[in-house]
Amino acid sequence: GIVMASRVYEIYQEVPENLKELLVKEGSQVRKGDLLAKFDSSRLDAEVSLNSMRMETTKLQLDIMKSRRSGAEKIHAKDLVLKAEQEFKEAKRIFDTSRKLADAGIIATQELEKASVNAEVREMEYSAAKLQLDEVTGREKSPEIAVLETRMAECEKARKDADEVRQKYEIRSPFDGVIILVSEAIKSVNASLSDVAVRLDPGSPLLTIADTGSMRVMGNFYENDVAEIKVGQPAMVTAKHAPGSVFQGTVTSVGQVGKVQGRSATLPIEVLVENKGRLLTHGLTAQMLIVVVEKKGVLAVPVEFLKHLKNGTFVLRIEKNGKKDPAPVETGISDSRYVEIVNGLSENDVLAME
């Protein structure tokens, strides 16, 4: 079967900047959250600095505007009320005088009407001035202040956006694992990254990290064998690249789609094993042994001692007189190395192999 890490994650470049520093290499073991790489953030830093200056300037203007502008508007509105009040009182005094003179027949009726209209106009102007004073007094912001506050909000949003983008300039490990691949563009650079800026292909991963604490082994089994294989069965895995080690595991998946190979067909089977010592390597091959049935304390002999003839299965037993006689046996389960002997032999029998 093929050995694969339980999790494989490709890390891509998310910002259009040059790679500034790479802190890992192929084979590096990393922990979740470890810093793996940095991208050049000088342009972002300049934008952040400019936005900070804009925020400080806007805030200063806003503070001055709130302290001065609102006060000036109130003073102006109060002056208008005083002026309108004086003009209304004067117009009312003239109207009252004109009415007395008209009653005495000293002035014409037209003059009285004219004084009356003037008093009404001045009264309306006085009411309008008082409304404007009330509006200015109750107003929290002038149009100029509203513009500055909008600009301040835009600066705040730009700062938050920059904070979110800045996280993409630093690549951190998403989980505990091993760096199994580094971009060829980086490996082709002879000089250090501090001397040469590297621009990566956005379509290819910067790094590939694998969780090798446990490994998946995918193997194809012939259809004659898969009927006995079930999820949850114990399995053992060995590999040439990890000599002398046996990895215990469990069947986690039995494929549902077979693949024809010659006159037979195979079905994919997945086994999950704990990768003790991280000896199993992603992408290499391994041998899978799945325990479909298990018996303990039974008599078994190596398969090489069995002879399969037309009239049954036999072993060559050495009798007490030294003669070798074929002995028929009934066999049970086998693991391709040993075969269970159900009947025909006893524990003390001596066998020969030809």
Side-chain angles (χ1 to χ4, degrees):
I2 303 298
V3 179
M4 296 175 289
S6 58
R7 285 188 293 176
V8 177
Y9 186 78
E10 293 181 337
I11 300 174
Y12 288 82
Q13 177 179 0
E14 297 187 65
V15 291
E17 302 293 350
N18 293 335
L19 182 64
K20 184 178 180 181
E21 187 176 5
L22 183 67
L23 304 174
V24 292
K25 59 183 179 180
E26 289 182 359
S28 296
Q29 293 192 10
V30 296
R31 306 284 293 179
K32 181 179 180 180
D34 283 353
L35 183 62
L36 308 180
K38 292 181 180 181
F39 287 90
D40 184 9
S41 62
S42 56
R43 184 165 63 177
L44 177 65
D45 293 339
E47 292 177 358
V48 170
S49 178
L50 182 61
N51 185 66
S52 297
M53 293 174 60
R54 186 179 294 115
M55 285 184 66
E56 291 179 3
T57 302
T58 302
K59 185 177 184 306
L60 181 60
Q61 292 176 336
L62 192 58
D63 292 341
I64 294 174
M65 187 67 70
K66 285 183 176 180
S67 62
R68 294 183 179 179
R69 179 65 177 177
S70 59
E73 285 182 338
K74 292 177 182 178
I75 293 173
H76 179 64
K78 289 179 180 180
D79 290 342
L80 290 178
V81 169
L82 291 175
K83 181 180 178 182
E85 182 182 13
Q86 292 174 355
E87 291 178 348
F88 168 61
K89 288 180 177 180
E90 178 62 19
K92 187 174 182 305
R93 184 188 67 78
I94 293 175
F95 170 69
D96 291 339
T97 302
S98 298
R99 185 172 54 185
K100 292 179 180 179
L101 294 175
D103 291 343
I106 299 175
I107 62 173
T109 304
Q110 292 84 353
E111 292 294 328
L112 178 61
E113 291 177 353
K114 183 178 178 180
S116 176
V117 170
N118 183 57
E120 291 178 1
V121 170
R122 298 305 176 188
E123 184 177 13
M124 288 191 308
E125 290 178 348
Y126 178 42
S127 298
K130 288 193 294 183
L131 289 175
Q132 183 177 356
L133 177 60
D134 293 339
E135 192 271 338
V136 170
T137 304
R139 187 195 307 167
E140 295 183 359
K141 64 184 71 173
S142 65
E144 293 84 356
I145 291 177
V147 170
L148 291 174
E149 289 183 341
T150 300
R151 188 183 304 169
M152 193 71 179
E154 292 172 350
C155 291
E156 290 283 358
K157 183 178 183 302
R159 183 174 65 179
K160 291 181 179 179
D161 291 344
D163 290 341
E164 292 179 2
V165 171
R166 187 176 294 279
Q167 297 178 5
K168 299 178 180 180
Y169 282 73
E170 293 186 348
I171 304 299
R172 296 185 179 275
S173 177
F175 49 75
D176 295 355
V178 176
I179 303 299
I180 60 173
L181 283 176
V182 175
S183 171
E184 290 295 331
I186 298 175
K187 290 191 289 185
S188 64
V189 176
N190 294 324
S192 65
L193 291 178
S194 59
D195 300 325
V196 178
V198 177
R199 178 61 64 92
L200 302 176
D201 179 3
S204 61
L206 165 66
L207 299 169
T208 302
I209 182 173
D211 180 359
T212 57
S214 58
M215 306 294 280
R216 295 182 297 127
V217 184
M218 293 291 297
N220 294 314
F221 285 74
Y222 284 102
E223 56 187 330
N224 294 334
D225 300 322
V226 297
E228 300 181 56
I229 300 177
K230 303 289 187 297
V231 172
Q233 289 175 333
M236 292 177 288
V237 170
T238 58
K240 292 181 180 179
H241 65 273
S245 298
V246 178
F247 303 89
Q248 303 296 327
T250 305
V251 176
T252 53
S253 174
V254 176
Q256 300 299 307
V257 179
K259 183 178 180 181
V260 176
Q261 292 186 349
R263 295 183 178 182
S264 186
T266 60
L267 198 66
I269 305 295
E270 180 184 278
V271 169
L272 183 67
V273 298
E274 290 299 317
N275 190 13
K276 293 183 179 179
R278 299 185 184 272
L279 299 177
L280 292 176
T281 301
H282 177 84
L284 297 185
T285 61
Q287 295 72 48
M288 304 162 61
L289 178 63
I290 299 174
V291 180
V292 295
V293 62
E294 184 178 16
K295 289 184 179 180
K296 296 181 179 181
V298 298
L299 185 63
V301 300
V303 294
E304 294 85 356
F305 285 82
L306 296 177
K307 292 183 179 298
H308 302 282
L309 304 177
K310 290 183 179 181
N311 57 343
T313 301
F314 296 82
V315 294
L316 199 59
R317 181 169 53 193
I318 302 176
E319 303 296 341
K320 291 182 178 180
N321 57 10
K323 185 180 178 181
K324 299 176 182 179
D325 290 331
V329 293
E330 181 184 350
T331 60
I333 64 173
S334 172
D335 63 356
S336 75
R337 294 180 298 169
Y338 289 87
V339 178
E340 177 192 8
I341 303 299
V342 177
N343 194 12
L345 290 178
S346 63
E347 186 175 354
N348 295 321
D349 286 338
V350 179
L351 305 181
M353 183 173 62
E354 290 184 354

